[in-house]
Amino acid sequence: MGVELELHAGRPARDGSSLVRGSYEHGEALARVLDGVRTGRLALVDPYGDTMFNEQEAEAALPQVAALLRDCADDSARAALTDLAGMLEACAATPGGYLWFMGD
């Protein structure tokens, strides 16, 4: 199981024209971390399906990621959370942006 991330400049288009950047290297570690989250915005992410955050939801999730990073001792989970934080920050700074969590 893994969760990959894609930042889109608007609602994701079938032809990929809205894609700004993707993150595909931390999928398994990110899925493990998110599977343990029971509260907050990140608890809404479906590790087996697709979840989208708009720019406001992305901004609201940033403090939760920061808290997870403070408590994280696992290197692969830390790398996944750092990457997620960067994608959330970029989404929050992209007017009309969406962060697409693609689960297995």
Side-chain angles (χ1 to χ4, degrees), residues 1-8 12 19 21-24 26-28 30-31 34 45-53 84 87 99-104:
M1 171 175 68
V3 176
E4 297 176 333
L5 304 169
E6 285 187 352
L7 174 61
H8 289 262
L19 181 65
R21 74 179 203 221
S23 172
Y24 312 105
H26 302 290
E28 289 182 24
L30 184 57
L34 294 176
V45 175
D46 180 1
Y48 301 102
D50 292 344
T51 306
M52 278 192 249
F53 282 7
L84 174 59
M87 294 291 279
L99 184 59
W100 186 3
F101 296 79
M102 299 176 291
D104 280 336

Side-chain angles (χ1 to χ4, degrees), residues 9-103:
R11 288 291 260 177
R14 290 184 190 265
D15 66 359
S17 61
S18 63
L19 181 65
V20 174
R21 74 179 203 221
S23 172
Y24 312 105
E25 62 186 85
H26 302 290
E28 289 182 24
L30 184 57
R32 283 193 309 273
V33 170
L34 294 176
D35 191 45
V37 175
R38 300 288 178 247
T39 61
R41 184 71 54 197
L42 294 177
L44 301 174
V45 175
D46 180 1
Y48 301 102
D50 292 344
T51 306
M52 278 192 249
F53 282 7
N54 63 27
E55 60 191 289
Q56 292 84 16
E57 292 167 319
E59 187 170 353
L62 281 167
Q64 189 174 14
V65 173
L68 289 168
L69 270 167
R70 279 192 301 273
D71 298 334
C72 185
D74 178 79
D75 288 341
S76 62
R78 180 169 279 288
L81 286 168
T82 300
D83 188 47
L84 174 59
M87 294 291 279
L88 287 167
E89 288 170 357
C91 182
T94 303
Y98 281 89
L99 184 59
W100 186 3
F101 296 79
M102 299 176 291

